[in-house]
Amino acid sequence: VSTITRPAQDPPRPAAPAAANTLPLSALGSRLRAPEISALMTAALENQRLLSLAAGFTDSSTLPVADVQRAVDELASRPGLPEHLQYGSSRGRPGLRELIAGRSIALDGGASRDIDAARTLVGNGSQQLLYLAMQVLCDPGDIVLVERPSYFVFLDMLKGFGVRAVPLPCTDDGVFDSDDLRAVLRGLAGNGDRARLKAVYLMSYFDNPSGRSRSEAEKNDLAAALREAGMLVPIIEDNVYRELWFDEPWPARSIFALRDWDAFPKLMLGTLTKPYASGLKIGYSHGSDARWLDRMAWLKGHHDFGSANFNQAVLEHIVARGGLDEHLAQLRPAYAAKMRVLDAALEDEGLRDLGWRWSRPGGGLYLWLEAPPGIDTSVNGHFWNQCMTDGVLYVPGGLCIAGGGGERFVRLSYGVLDPDALREAGRRFVNAARHVVGV
Ligand SMILES: Cc1ncc(COP(=O)(O)O)c(C=O)c1O
């Protein structure tokens, strides 16, 4: 069994002086708690036997070492001044933005509008852009509509901002429930919350955590419901897993290509971390609304006046010579195979016979499992503790569902572990599931 990937550990800190307890903080500083993800990482660090199906990290064995080395060598041997080792621009390298915008348009079969280099902002991963997007839109007490389930790091971020996440109602198979959706929007309007609603956050391609994708009809119906309710609010389509399909891309076009979304301020998020190298930590956003994107760029200017120019130069070089597509062609079957290994391990060990349900995703990094009634997957519950004893870590579904009701769900990632470790982790997981029901 391979060892789990461990983030670098901080050096031990000296004991805080007593006065630290009285440090005056801003309203935001006082509200902040350690992100939920830190607790999961700490659990992995503290128990070295633990196999982690929790982290949505990429597979270290597939990382493009030789490619990156070649790109660095080529950059280093370029004549002239090494501009790539100098600061870059706040919005990102123009050449990289041009290439990324072209790729996003191509993914929509050329149909997307409002996407070009000038309306593209590069960030330290799409995570930073998501944070900036929220920070320029939301005040404490505001509301954001999210899917059910949604990206738990985003939900946690909203808590930090003091922003309320309201789930978009879905049917049992995860499709938006058109009638309930309209009822929720009417409810917001009726409560006087219309002005508090600041954004809608969607993951339409192989989402985190459920692996589900959305059809154009579904997206258009959401646009219609928002329009009917008079809520032409900013919409974020987070497409970070869009290119990580297994057998075929998801056919729906992005909201930038759908006429029904024309009147809405739109932001698309993408990344080069998941499909290429997460250590380079470069993500991007396309924005249809200059007021929104400019403010994100200005705020980013305050943070760091630009993401690492060198990392961007490496990626620009690689994307320009087709290295990203070559890498993706190897990555897709590798993740598809790992998904099948974990799925088969759970199935063969008898998890379905214990009443657990899940479906196989067509891409992305996650399996989303529903436990039978009576099992609570929350941190420090019976099932969690049994998993800790058996040496397997997962993300509790409760973290992924705004407003509660996720306690019977689990997110498992097949991203990091190798196939043997995935089989063993699957075996341990089913063992724990069996143990807690006494069979
Ligand atoms: C849905 C989603 N959005 C955004 C991110 C942020 O990714 P990155 O900052 O590596 O681009 C992640 C990472 O797991 C994610 O799952």
Side-chain angles (χ1 to χ4, degrees):
V1 172
S2 73
T3 51
I4 53 171
T5 307
R6 302 180 59 196
Q9 217 169 346
D10 289 338
R13 269 184 282 161
N21 293 335
T22 58
L23 180 75
L25 293 167
S26 67
L28 172 64
S30 312
R31 222 174 24 244
L32 280 179
R33 299 284 171 270
E36 301 278 7
I37 195 161
S38 320
L40 295 172
M41 285 182 155
T42 309
L45 282 170
E46 282 172 355
N47 183 346
Q48 306 237 355
R49 282 188 54 243
L50 215 52
L51 289 175
S52 177
L53 293 170
F57 288 8
T58 40
D59 183 337
S60 297
S61 71
T62 57
L63 290 173
V65 181
D67 254 21
V68 172
Q69 183 168 11
R70 188 146 41 100
V72 171
D73 287 347
E74 284 173 19
L75 286 177
S77 59
R78 271 187 192 162
L81 293 171
E83 59 77 26
H84 47 271
L85 287 177
Q86 186 51 271
Y87 282 128
S89 81
S90 211
R91 286 181 188 248
R93 287 176 74 84
L96 180 63
R97 285 189 279 135
E98 193 77 48
L99 288 164
I100 288 169
R103 282 182 70 84
S104 296
I105 295 169
L107 285 176
D108 276 341
S112 28
R113 292 173 295 276
D114 295 336
I115 295 183
D116 54 34
R119 286 175 285 185
T120 298
L121 176 62
V122 172
N124 299 323
S126 55
Q127 187 65 30
Q128 181 190 37
L129 298 161
L130 193 50
Y131 188 91
L132 296 173
M134 286 295 101
Q135 208 179 17
V136 301
L137 290 182
C138 296
D139 290 309
D142 283 343
I143 295 170
V144 172
L145 291 171
V146 297
E147 285 160 302
R148 189 176 190 282
S150 186
Y151 172 37
F152 79 94
V153 180
F154 179 65
L155 297 180
D156 210 21
M157 179 201 296
L158 292 182
K159 273 191 210 153
F161 282 134
V163 168
R164 184 153 63 96
V166 172
L168 293 161
C170 287
T171 62
D172 279 350
D173 44 9
V175 177
F176 289 140
D177 184 318
S178 198
D179 293 337
D180 284 1
L181 180 60
R182 283 166 172 80
V184 164
L185 299 182
R186 273 196 306 277
L188 288 178
N191 292 341
D193 279 337
R194 187 194 305 249
R196 278 294 193 187
L197 178 62
K198 293 298 171 63
V200 180
Y201 173 69
L202 280 191
M203 287 170 283
S204 314
Y205 302 88
F206 315 115
D207 81 20
N208 173 2
S210 76
R212 191 192 45 217
S213 303
R214 302 219 176 264
S215 67
E216 290 187 7
E218 235 189 306
K219 292 197 260 193
N220 286 342
D221 186 47
L222 174 62
L226 288 164
R227 249 195 335 264
E228 283 157 34
M231 296 171 172
L232 287 181
V233 291
I235 164 104
I236 298 172
E237 193 177 38
D238 181 339
N239 293 349
V240 307
Y241 299 98
R242 184 173 186 180
E243 296 200 73
L244 284 187
W245 43 266
F246 297 154
D247 298 325
E248 52 191 0
W250 180 251
R253 290 166 297 169
S254 79
I255 56 167
F256 277 69
L258 301 177
R259 292 256 166 232
D260 293 59
W261 287 97
D262 273 356
F264 291 79
K266 293 177 287 294
L267 191 79
M268 185 196 294
L269 294 180
T271 193
L272 297 171
T273 61
K274 309 281 184 191
Y276 196 72
S278 34
L280 292 171
K281 200 59 186 158
I282 295 296
Y284 55 90
S285 54
H286 306 299
S288 70
D289 186 289
R291 230 170 111 75
W292 190 6
L293 199 72
D294 281 351
R295 275 159 184 78
M296 288 170 59
W298 299 340
L299 192 54
K300 181 167 166 59
H302 290 307
H303 281 195
D304 58 18
F305 38 89
S307 295
N309 191 26
F310 180 70
N311 296 10
Q312 292 182 63
V314 168
L315 284 166
E316 181 179 319
H317 186 76
I318 287 165
V319 176
R321 61 159 187 67
L324 173 58
D325 287 317
E326 280 167 24
H327 185 65
L328 273 166
Q330 293 168 17
L331 210 54
R332 289 179 183 127
Y335 281 129
K338 294 211 310 172
M339 183 278 288
R340 283 194 293 268
V341 166
L342 181 59
D343 172 60
L346 299 173
E347 184 113 34
D348 296 349
E349 294 291 333
L351 193 61
R352 286 195 197 275
D353 304 334
L354 296 172
W356 289 67
R357 297 192 312 163
W358 69 96
S359 40
R360 282 174 211 103
L365 291 182
Y366 310 102
L367 292 182
W368 178 241
L369 276 56
E370 182 179 2
I375 294 201
D376 182 341
T377 63
S378 309
V379 175
N380 297 330
H382 187 24
F383 180 68
W384 170 272
N385 291 338
Q386 189 58 48
C387 283
M388 290 297 123
T389 306
D390 288 345
V392 61
L393 187 67
Y394 62 86
V395 173
L399 300 184
C400 309
I401 297 196
E407 294 73 21
R408 266 178 45 213
F409 292 86
V410 160
R411 188 196 83 173
L412 300 182
S413 172
Y414 38 82
V416 185
L417 299 181
D418 65 35
D420 284 346
L422 280 174
R423 261 179 228 107
E424 173 60 16
R427 194 191 63 74
R428 293 181 187 183
F429 187 87
V430 180
N431 218 29
R434 186 167 282 122
H435 194 179
V436 292
V437 291
V439 292

